[in-house]
Amino acid sequence: MNTEVTDGKTRIAVVTGAGSGIGRAVAVELLRAGWSVALAGRRTGPLEETAASAADAGGGEALAVRTDVSQPADVAALFAATVERFGRVDLLFNNAGTFGPGGVPVEDLPYEAWRHVVDTNLNGAFLCARAAYRQMKEQRPQGGRIINNGSISAHAPRPHSVAYTATKHALTGLTKSLSLDGRPYRIAVGQIDIGNAATDMTQRMQAGVLQADGEIAAEPVMDVADVARTVRHMAELPLEANVQFATVLATTMPYVGRG
């Protein structure tokens, strides 16, 4: 696919949560395809590892920026550094997130744990989208794309996942509002809902996790590279076209029907 904008310059992406998992896989996929990518995450070391894992294939330039997406000053610094280095922002992959304490019933969930999940998954996504929106609206050529990482949990919850599930449902509303408000400025906004991509976060799925019927069962996973290729496809569409919602999941995971 073509990775150049109308003025012949390389496309520029910001990927949050780029130090591991889905964020790393997407960042590497984009870099190898010729994008230049600002890698955002709370720890510089893993970001540099992401950049190094794509370096052998050539392609675009990576910029590691230590960022806590729940902090407005960090987010502002991330986008300032990106624009200073690359001149514009064509894509934000709003990926940073946390599940929070797993397996904790609602009545036992500390408020601090709830707040941490909301601050990261929802407030962080909003802060990054707002910064991207401001840049995309003002830059020339105008416009860009935002892809929010939702989750299968944006459709249906797992047991004892109230904070994570609530934030992922909220991300769907964020996606729809941003998509509508971005129309006058050529800002396309979509969402990818992912189920059981093989990352450190989903290792427990293969060992067995609590199901809605109270049983513990192992669940299938899929290659995270397949998710990365899907995000790249969404990212490289012309701004006149948009994947509003995409669902990518391990084919036989217990989601459709009754499992």
Side-chain angles (χ1 to χ4, degrees), residues 26-111:
V26 168
V28 169
E29 177 73 17
L30 293 174
L31 285 164
R32 289 176 175 172
W35 290 67
S36 288
V37 183
L39 310 169
R42 289 180 298 168
R43 295 177 296 149
T44 303
L47 299 178
E48 293 174 344
E49 292 172 5
T50 297
S53 66
D56 292 342
E61 178 184 355
L63 171 67
V65 185
R66 196 213 64 78
T67 308
D68 181 343
V69 297
S70 70
Q71 300 301 311
D74 279 18
V75 172
L78 165 65
F79 280 84
T82 302
V83 174
E84 181 180 2
R85 174 69 69 87
F86 300 123
R88 62 181 288 115
V89 175
D90 297 297
L91 170 70
L92 164 64
F93 181 44
N94 235 341
N95 167 73
T98 180
F99 191 82
V104 178
V106 175
E107 65 272 22
D108 296 327
L109 183 69
Y111 174 72

Side-chain angles (χ1 to χ4, degrees), residues 136-185:
M136 291 171 179
K137 181 179 176 182
E138 298 301 324
Q139 66 193 10
R140 295 294 181 269
Q142 187 183 61
R145 190 180 305 274
I146 299 171
I147 301 173
N148 293 324
N149 186 351
S151 170
I152 292 297
S153 292
H155 301 267
R158 288 186 177 278
H160 302 159
S161 66
V162 64
Y164 185 79
T165 298
T167 58
K168 294 303 183 178
H169 273 72
L171 270 179
T172 299
L174 181 69
T175 297
K176 290 180 178 180
S177 290
L178 291 170
S179 184
L180 179 61
D181 293 344
R183 286 178 178 177
Y185 311 109

